[in-house]
Amino acid sequence: MLLRAQAAGPRGLPNALTCELEDWFHILESDRVPKLEDWSKLPLRAERSVDRLLDLFDRTQVHATFFCLGWMAERMPQVVRRCQAAGHEIGSHGYAHVLARPANQAAFREDIVRAKGILEDITGSEVLGFRSPGFSVKNDNTWFFDVVSEAGYRYDASIFPAHHGHGGYSGSDPGPHVMATSGGPLVEIPISTVRLLGRRFCFFGGGYLRISPLPVIRWGAEVLQKQKRPLIVYVHPREIDPDHPRLPLGSWRYFKCYNNLTTTLPKLTWLCEHYRFGTMAELASQFEVRSTRLAAASLSA
Ligand SMILES: [Zn+2]
C-alpha cells in the first residue's frame, strides 16, 4: 500500500513527472557526440529503461508525461504506444534534439513541427506539450515561445529558471503561468526550483537529481509543497541504465553525464512512493480556463 506523506500539489495543482524519451548518445553540445547521420548505426537501449519506468509508475499509480524525440518514435513506435496505452501523456522533445539557438530558428521550427506530426500519427491524438532539448530557452531567444505556440503546441515545459548549461531563463515567473505569444496564449510550466541563499536551485531531474542526496531532494520537495508550488521531476531513460555505453567526453562533461547513475532509480522510486504525480497536460489544463479567458479578452479588446 502506498503511504504518501503529501497530497497533490497546491490549489489542486498536480505535481508532474516527466521522462525525455531519448537514448544514451543524445548528449548535447560536444564534438565527441555522434551526429544525426550516425545515430542509426548505434544500438538503442531506451526501451528496456522505459519498461522499467512503466513498471514503477504502474506500481505507484503515477501518470507521467513522456516527451519523445521524433527520431526515437520512428524507430520504436511500439514503445510510444505502450506508454500511451498505460495512461501516460505523449509530449514532444523535437525530432533530432535540435537546440533553440538564434542561428537556427528556422531549423528549430521545422524540427518541432516534424516531431509533432510523427507523434500524432503514431498516437492518433493531439500532442499538446513540448520540452526543448537542454531546456534551451534563454533570455536572448524569447522568439522560442512564439515558435512553439505557432507550431501548435498548447503548453511548453522548457524554462529552467536557474543556471543551466544549455539554457537558464530568468525573465519570468518560476512557477506555471500563461504567456502571450504570436500564436496565442501558451501555458508555460518551468522545471521546479527552490530558492536558497539568494539563488534558485533544481534538485529534481537529470544530473541535479543524481548529484543531490535524497535528504536534500526531500527538503526541496517539502519547500515546494509548503509554498504551494507543484513538484516537476524529469528523468532520461539512460539515467536508470547504469551500464549504458560511455561517450569519450571531457572530464567535466563525463562527470556531469555519468556521475551517480545507480542512484537515479532509487531516488525516483522514493519520489513516486511519497508524492502524487499527474501528467503535464493535467497541470496545464488548470491554466486553460485562464488561457481561454485571455484569448477572449484579447478578441474583445
Ligand atoms: Zn533531451
Side-chain angles (χ1 to χ4, degrees):
M1 189 179 80
L2 287 176
L3 291 173
R4 288 183 167 112
Q6 304 289 337
R11 304 186 305 274
L13 290 181
N15 302 316
L17 205 154
T18 66
C19 172
E20 293 169 14
L21 205 174
E22 57 189 51
D23 224 301
W24 59 274
F25 47 86
H26 291 126
I27 306 280
L28 288 160
E29 291 189 298
S30 167
D31 55 10
R32 300 178 187 187
V33 170
K35 304 246 179 310
L36 173 62
E37 55 267 31
D38 296 321
W39 289 359
S40 57
K41 301 172 197 156
L42 299 167
L44 300 181
R45 295 177 62 98
E47 182 167 4
R48 196 179 58 155
S49 295
V50 170
D51 283 343
R52 292 176 84 185
L53 289 174
L54 291 178
D55 286 346
L56 169 65
F57 297 159
D58 180 55
R59 183 172 66 75
T60 53
Q61 300 158 31
V62 163
H63 285 145
T65 297
F66 286 83
F67 290 110
C68 306
L69 271 191
W71 186 89
M72 291 289 287
E74 281 181 334
R75 277 145 190 87
M76 44 179 73
Q78 76 283 2
V79 176
V80 176
R81 291 197 190 99
R82 209 178 297 150
C83 295
Q84 181 190 31
H88 304 294
E89 179 195 2
I90 303 303
S92 165
H93 194 41
Y95 180 80
H97 225 221
V98 173
L99 287 167
R101 289 287 183 256
N104 69 348
Q105 183 173 340
F108 177 75
R109 180 191 301 266
E110 187 181 325
D111 181 271
I112 69 172
V113 168
R114 183 181 182 187
K116 191 171 191 291
I118 289 169
L119 293 166
E120 290 179 347
D121 283 348
I122 291 172
T123 61
S125 298
E126 184 183 359
V127 169
L128 304 174
F130 176 71
R131 173 173 288 149
S132 67
F135 298 93
S136 55
V137 57
K138 301 173 85 164
N139 292 50
D140 66 354
N141 64 345
T142 51
W143 51 263
F144 170 92
F145 302 109
D146 292 332
V147 170
V148 170
S149 181
E150 287 169 8
Y153 294 101
R154 288 159 63 185
Y155 76 84
D156 174 71
S158 304
I159 284 184
F160 198 99
H163 176 76
H164 187 276
H166 313 286
Y169 184 77
S170 60
S172 71
D173 183 342
H177 56 280
V178 180
M179 307 179 83
T181 74
S182 59
L186 179 71
V187 178
E188 175 60 45
I189 307 175
I191 204 69
S192 300
T193 53
V194 175
R195 187 170 280 282
L196 180 65
L197 302 174
R199 290 185 60 185
R200 293 202 160 276
F201 292 90
C202 174
F203 310 114
F204 313 112
Y208 307 94
L209 182 76
R210 281 185 279 115
I211 211 164
S212 303
L214 185 57
V216 173
I217 296 166
R218 178 165 52 188
W219 170 80
E222 285 172 1
V223 168
L224 287 172
Q225 304 286 291
K226 277 184 196 149
Q227 292 177 347
K228 301 195 176 304
R229 296 168 51 211
L231 169 60
I232 315 289
V233 173
Y234 72 98
V235 65
H236 303 92
R238 62 177 173 271
E239 292 179 298
I240 61 163
D241 176 16
D243 299 325
H244 72 257
R246 306 300 199 249
L247 293 165
L249 304 171
S251 54
W252 177 235
R253 287 300 302 282
Y254 194 96
F255 173 79
K256 285 211 298 187
C257 291
Y258 303 131
N259 178 53
N260 265 4
L261 284 168
T262 56
T263 71
T264 308
L265 190 56
K267 288 170 182 169
L268 197 62
T269 300
W270 185 89
L271 284 165
C272 288
E273 287 175 344
H274 289 80
Y275 291 86
R276 293 182 193 281
F277 290 99
T279 66
M280 294 289 269
E282 287 167 8
L283 177 49
S285 71
Q286 308 288 314
F287 294 82
E288 290 267 286
V289 175
R290 294 178 221 183
S291 178
T292 305
R293 281 187 192 139
L294 266 181
S298 63
L299 280 174
S300 63

